Amino acid sequence: MPDLSTLSPTVFVVASGVIAIGLLQNAIYLFQLAVAYLELRHREPLPDTVTNWWRLSDGTMPISLLAPAYNEEATIVESIKSLLALHYPNFEVIVINDGSRDGTLATLIEAFGLEAKERSFDRSVEHKPLKGLYGSPNHPRLLVLDKENGGKADALNAGINLARTPLFCAVDADSLLEADALLRATQPFVDDPDRVVAVGGTIRLANGCKVQAGRVSSVGLPRNLLALFQVIEYLRAFLMARLAWSRMNALMLISGAFGIMRRDIALEVGGYSDNTVGEDLEIIVKIHRHLREQGRDYDIRFIPDPVCWTEAPESLALLSRQRKRWQRGALETFFKHWIMLGNPRYGIAGVVGFTHILIADVLAPPVEVLGYLLMPVFWFTGTLSWEFLAAYLALTFSYGIFVSVGSLILEEMELRRYPHARDLAMLTLAAVLENFGYRQLNNLWRIGGWWQFIRKAEGWGEMTRKGFEKGG
Amino acid sequence: MTFLAAIWWTSWFLSGIALVVMCALIVKRVWRDRRARRREKRKVQLTSIILEAVDDPKTMEGRILSGIDAEIASEVVRGLMTVVRGGAHERLKGMLKDVGAVDTYLAGLGSRDPTQRLMAVNNLAFFDEPQIKARLLEAMGTETPALRLAIACALIDMESDFPVAEVVGKLEIGVVVRSRNLRHLFRQMAVRNVQGMLGVLGETGNQVTRILIIDGLARAGDYQVVPALRRLVEDPSVDVRAAVMRGFAILDHPDASAEILRGLNDEAWEVRVQAAIGAGRIGIAEAVPRLIVLLDDARWWVRLRAAGALTRLGEAGTEALKMAAATSPQAAEVAEIALLEMADN
């Protein structure tokens, strides 16, 4: 057995480091909660959808929905039908079949009566070769682009090239947008057309909801425990974190499942980067960097009201694959743009936004996991005082309860999307329980993401979909 | 208490407070849901009474709605007013006044919640009365851009005189209100009051306001604006000149031919683009030689619009386009697009 008395300074340093990171993270969460609350209280007044449509549709900007699809044969038709039924005056849907190996393209051709079509476009950003373009006389808003496989970023770049509208909206092929989601999400572009360059909306989980004709007809909670914990996670991420950063113009991420950008700005930064799995994070960081370097006044916003519903993984295997990929994407982006870290040249995006990526995505996972391993050992061997352990347990468990329940409070006070009081009770229970095991598991997966990053792993891995629960 | 112990106790204190608040919200939700169900039931009953009263006002005589009934009735009547016109609309307006809704809406203008203020503005738009207009104009001093715009829209919805200069001044365009929805508002203002808009155009130095007015006047389709636009053809601002060319194209009046031809030679590509569009739309045959030259313009958009314009200038234009395409690769590229789009149409 080692001489434990000589470990005390080391123990002190390790323990202090773990506590310090934990304190910093929780202080950030507390700050985010407060700012998010202010943002929700003072957000722009929201006219009802009817008023929006008939009074304001003249001011809306044409938009292209870009939906990359890879092996989506089972769900693609329903997804595209729901996109085509969105309530928006002027839009097109561009499905990019990214070299699917199943019958995705054939299914689309048959379902929509697609025919070969010509359309000229400027090849402003590079992507893998195209194989064909299809349109339908019955669905004039729909275009299907067939190309060689190149990944999601590559597919989106092809879509950006083909789009002729000033805005584009990147969606996942299985995203279910609410009918007026585009009208609401494009409002910042209408209100401040010169400054706003990108807008993100809320992603909510469709697990447990009833879906009818491509719309969530009834909101419910998942029966699967993993999915239930993810509901809380998503509330924290969107209602708390993104809202807070948006208010400070330090929003570094807009979800790839539902994000709207100005096409000209995306082209200025060279489109999506194809050398990262975190292409949605990377393009926003790139935009911040580019516009700050140019000294331009701009705004990247998050608004909580337009909603996109998506399916969350319900198995440990799929969830771990997703989280490792997200971690890898965050690290790839961080090290690619490390020059922004704490750099006043990049304003609040560099000093605050990018520093937060360092704390939350780079340092926190390994430090927290180190804490899980070492702190109990230190205490058990008598080298760590009870006070240190108590502080550590508080930062690991009980502060987490406060943050999760705090996000739920925001949801109930300002948005009230869950229809029943019993849903709130269930979510409150989940908000407590997720801190005892689920959050720790997440950090372990993020260490897996670190390992993949160090090994320079590539690709998404297989993400199979269960499909939505039918309503009616 | 040490710092570390404080971390421990603070965490449980905060978590405890959060859980207590959440429990209170759950209880409140139970109560709120029950109240909503009761309200919905009463709404169904009141809707049938109101619909009956729209057809036969005598059925409402002697019936006084107050409290929650007045609130629900206002909501129902307000919804019906967006879908009915004529006598029924007037009867519904009378009902809103009878239940005191107008006073509620006026009070709502002072609410701290911007969404409540917005709802109040949208509701007051139905009441074209001097004191309501005065209150709305006063409320335009708000810091919230969406509210200023909504008030302007509400004022334009009213039938009576619309104070163009005052409303435009209060919008503080480009400073407070920057919305694209201003275009819609200005188009409506131009239809209602061309002279007023021309007056503001002559006085304002705000470039954005001038562009909005030009757009609005052009879309109003009143040819008396052509002389005013002519005076702006040599404005120092590129955006204003481009807006003027666009305005001529929209007006589609041959009197603008000389200005369009001048615009085809403008130093700014944005102006040349709009002039090319105008040449095609108005059908200015004299523009063909210059349009052929523009097929080799340095800017892609100018080349594309020049090609498009040539396809709209009859056989002469189309033949000139094909000949130019045969000699210039740049012209060939945009000619192909323009001829394909012509075939599609």
Side-chain angles (χ1 to χ4, degrees):
Chain A
M1 193 159 170
D3 183 358
L4 295 169
S5 63
T6 63
L7 291 174
S8 292
T10 312
V11 168
F12 179 80
V13 164
V14 168
S16 300
V18 169
I19 298 281
I21 289 286
L23 260 180
L24 189 54
Q25 270 209 288
N26 283 292
I28 291 171
Y29 291 148
L30 194 60
F31 174 75
Q32 285 175 341
L33 265 176
V35 174
Y37 173 71
L38 287 173
E39 178 67 10
L40 281 171
R41 282 264 104 167
H42 297 115
R43 68 189 193 273
E44 282 286 308
L46 209 61
D48 59 86
T49 306
V50 169
T51 307
N52 242 355
W53 181 267
W54 67 260
R55 185 191 282 286
L56 304 172
S57 57
D58 257 6
T60 53
M61 297 162 76
I63 188 167
S64 299
L65 274 79
L66 307 182
Y70 180 70
N71 291 354
E72 310 273 355
E73 182 182 7
T75 55
I76 190 75
V77 173
E78 195 173 311
S79 301
I80 300 308
K81 279 183 178 169
S82 81
L83 291 179
L84 288 169
L86 287 171
H87 297 174
Y88 196 78
N90 189 353
F91 72 101
E92 62 181 1
V93 176
I94 301 177
V95 181
I96 307 109
N97 180 43
D98 192 40
S100 297
R101 287 176 296 174
D102 67 0
T104 300
L105 180 63
T107 303
L108 283 167
I109 289 172
E110 195 194 326
F112 294 103
L114 298 176
E115 299 165 356
K117 194 180 164 74
E118 296 278 336
R119 191 190 213 179
S120 322
F121 56 93
D122 221 5
R123 204 181 167 97
S124 306
V125 288
E126 288 302 315
H127 52 77
K128 286 278 193 303
L130 305 180
K131 286 153 64 175
L133 178 66
Y134 303 86
S136 167
N138 299 324
H139 301 277
R141 292 189 195 276
L142 176 63
L143 284 171
V144 175
L145 186 58
D146 188 29
K147 63 182 280 293
E148 287 182 17
N149 178 258
K152 187 175 176 185
D154 193 80
L156 285 168
N157 285 340
I160 291 172
N161 274 348
L162 190 68
R164 286 182 169 181
T165 53
L167 301 178
F168 71 88
C169 176
V171 295
D172 284 346
D174 64 340
S175 297
L176 295 179
L177 298 183
E178 292 193 335
D180 62 353
L182 280 188
L183 265 178
R184 294 184 188 275
T186 54
Q187 217 39 54
F189 292 101
V190 171
D191 290 341
D192 200 352
D194 294 328
R195 291 182 67 248
V196 174
V197 299
V199 171
T202 300
I203 311 295
R204 286 184 182 253
L205 299 189
N207 305 57
C209 300
K210 291 205 168 19
V211 174
Q212 200 173 354
R215 295 270 178 270
V216 169
S217 57
S218 163
V219 176
L221 289 183
R223 285 180 287 274
N224 176 279
L225 195 60
L226 271 184
L228 192 59
F229 289 152
Q230 288 174 78
V231 169
I232 297 294
E233 251 192 314
Y234 274 59
L235 280 178
R236 249 199 336 266
F238 286 93
L239 272 201
M240 186 182 80
R242 294 199 195 176
L243 209 45
W245 294 137
S246 169
R247 189 174 170 89
M248 298 167 60
N249 202 7
L251 181 63
M252 307 304 281
L253 171 63
I254 281 173
S255 177
F258 181 36
I260 301 180
M261 266 171 258
R262 270 176 45 184
R263 183 175 177 272
D264 59 335
I265 300 294
L267 290 178
E268 279 182 35
V269 300
Y272 288 87
S273 300
D274 61 3
N275 55 1
T276 172
V277 288
E279 74 285 332
D280 48 357
L281 169 64
E282 204 269 340
I283 194 170
I284 297 299
V285 171
K286 232 180 355 182
I287 288 173
H288 275 294
R289 182 172 175 179
H290 171 71
L291 294 177
R292 293 276 177 185
E293 284 172 356
Q294 298 216 327
R296 283 154 68 172
D297 187 20
Y298 71 98
D299 200 1
I300 295 177
R301 299 240 194 111
F302 169 79
I303 48 175
D305 303 284
V307 175
C308 168
W309 298 89
T310 191
E311 188 191 338
E314 289 186 346
S315 74
L316 284 171
L318 283 178
L319 185 55
S320 78
R321 207 175 289 156
Q322 184 193 66
R323 296 310 161 94
K324 285 174 188 169
R325 187 180 78 243
W326 287 1
Q327 179 64 24
R328 190 163 28 116
L331 293 170
E332 285 166 351
T333 300
F334 177 81
F335 287 105
K336 188 173 176 185
H337 298 283
W338 66 268
I339 194 82
M340 292 176 68
L341 179 63
N343 189 338
R345 183 183 181 198
Y346 300 99
I348 196 162
V351 173
V352 174
F354 206 78
T355 307
H356 180 252
I357 296 178
L358 170 71
I359 295 167
D361 293 316
V362 180
L363 296 177
V367 169
E368 281 200 45
V369 170
L370 198 68
Y372 302 155
L373 298 171
L374 295 180
M375 300 294 267
V377 170
F378 290 160
W379 178 74
F380 186 71
T381 54
T383 51
L384 190 74
S385 69
W386 158 247
E387 278 188 339
F388 254 111
L389 182 71
Y392 168 71
L393 290 173
L395 291 168
T396 305
F397 299 107
S398 44
Y399 273 115
I401 295 172
F402 164 67
V403 170
S404 297
V405 176
S407 304
L408 202 47
I409 289 171
L410 284 181
E411 152 73 22
E412 176 58 13
M413 283 175 68
E414 296 295 332
L415 296 171
R416 244 174 269 128
R417 285 289 192 142
Y418 291 95
H420 306 295
R422 63 173 180 270
D423 295 333
L424 296 180
M426 187 61 82
L427 286 171
T428 307
L429 189 59
V432 172
L433 292 177
E434 66 139 0
N435 292 284
F436 298 91
Y438 175 74
R439 198 180 131 191
Q440 289 71 29
L441 201 52
N442 242 312
N443 279 321
L444 286 174
W445 290 329
R446 295 175 78 180
I447 295 299
W450 253 109
W451 177 239
Q452 286 181 354
F453 171 73
I454 290 166
R455 278 179 39 237
K456 297 191 190 324
E458 289 180 5
W460 279 47
E462 205 63 37
M463 295 295 292
T464 47
R465 306 194 194 284
K466 190 182 112 178
F468 298 114
E469 189 179 330
K470 297 282 182 242
Chain B
M1 188 189 294
T2 63
F3 177 65
L4 293 172
I7 293 174
W8 167 259
W9 290 112
T10 309
S11 76
W12 288 111
F13 174 72
L14 288 174
S15 302
I17 295 281
L19 286 167
V20 165
V21 169
M22 196 61 220
C23 289
L25 286 173
I26 293 171
V27 168
K28 188 177 175 188
R29 172 68 93 89
V30 170
W31 173 80
R32 199 196 280 264
D33 287 351
R34 279 191 195 151
R35 198 177 79 145
R37 281 194 292 273
R38 280 198 300 269
R39 192 187 167 100
E40 204 47 44
K41 250 193 215 168
R42 186 62 183 144
K43 191 174 174 181
V44 168
Q45 291 164 352
L46 285 173
T47 301
S48 83
I49 293 170
I50 289 166
L51 285 172
E52 213 181 313
V54 170
D55 286 335
D56 183 6
K58 289 198 187 99
T59 59
M60 277 294 274
E61 271 171 23
R63 194 193 286 264
I64 298 170
L65 295 174
S66 61
I68 195 80
D69 275 1
E71 210 181 291
I72 297 172
S74 305
E75 199 184 301
V76 170
V77 170
R78 169 68 179 81
L80 287 171
M81 281 175 77
T82 58
V83 295
V84 301
R85 295 286 181 266
H89 193 267
E90 292 306 308
R91 283 193 287 281
L92 288 168
K93 258 170 75 170
M95 276 189 218
L96 277 179
K97 286 184 176 174
D98 290 343
V99 298
V102 176
D103 293 330
T104 307
Y105 300 152
L106 286 169
L109 283 180
S111 169
R112 285 163 65 176
D113 181 355
T115 302
Q116 291 299 320
R117 295 209 299 274
L118 184 66
M119 275 172 53
V121 167
N122 290 338
N123 292 336
L124 286 168
F126 290 113
F127 299 92
D128 186 3
E129 288 162 27
Q131 70 271 26
I132 291 177
K133 282 176 75 164
R135 286 288 302 273
L136 285 173
L137 276 169
E138 192 189 318
M140 276 191 87
T142 174
E143 289 304 317
T144 311
L147 274 170
R148 288 200 195 190
L149 190 55
I151 292 171
C153 290
L155 289 167
I156 198 89
D157 280 347
M158 295 174 179
E159 298 284 322
S160 58
D161 284 341
F162 179 80
V164 171
E166 189 175 357
V167 169
V168 171
K170 287 191 174 202
L171 282 169
E172 292 189 77
I173 292 165
V175 176
V176 176
V177 182
R178 299 187 197 97
S179 173
R180 285 171 55 91
N181 292 322
L182 284 168
R183 288 191 317 182
H184 176 77
L185 174 68
F186 272 70
R187 287 171 190 176
Q188 285 188 289
M189 290 201 293
V191 166
R192 289 279 301 276
N193 191 340
V194 172
Q195 290 306 320
M197 294 287 273
L198 283 171
V200 176
L201 180 63
E203 285 166 15
T204 183
N206 183 320
Q207 188 175 297
V208 177
T209 305
R210 293 163 86 204
I211 291 169
L212 286 166
I213 292 175
I214 292 167
D215 175 77
L217 287 173
R219 286 179 197 273
D222 191 329
Y223 293 144
Q224 66 177 305
V225 314
V226 172
L229 295 188
R230 276 211 190 99
R231 286 194 286 276
L232 295 170
V233 163
E234 291 187 356
D235 193 276
S237 158
V238 167
D239 292 333
V240 170
R241 297 203 306 278
V244 168
M245 291 296 141
R246 194 162 47 240
F248 283 140
I250 292 166
L251 280 166
D252 197 4
H253 197 289
D255 264 6
S257 298
E259 285 73 26
I260 293 282
L261 289 170
R262 202 183 312 173
L264 290 173
N265 288 296
D266 197 287
E267 60 184 6
W269 70 269
E270 296 93 333
V271 182
R272 297 198 297 277
V273 163
Q274 298 301 328
I277 295 170
R281 208 170 276 180
I282 296 173
I284 304 172
E286 299 85 352
V288 169
R290 180 61 188 157
L291 288 169
I292 291 170
V293 173
L294 289 180
L295 291 176
D296 283 310
D297 192 278
R299 286 282 182 166
W300 186 81
W301 276 112
V302 176
R303 300 197 298 272
L304 182 70
R305 293 307 179 202
L310 283 166
T311 64
R312 299 179 74 152
L313 292 174
E315 212 170 303
T318 314
E319 287 309 311
L321 179 62
K322 287 176 183 169
M323 277 175 53
T327 54
S328 157
Q330 275 197 140
E333 185 206 353
V334 292
E336 185 189 1
I337 297 167
L339 289 166
L340 267 172
E341 286 183 1
M342 188 177 86
D344 265 352
N345 293 333

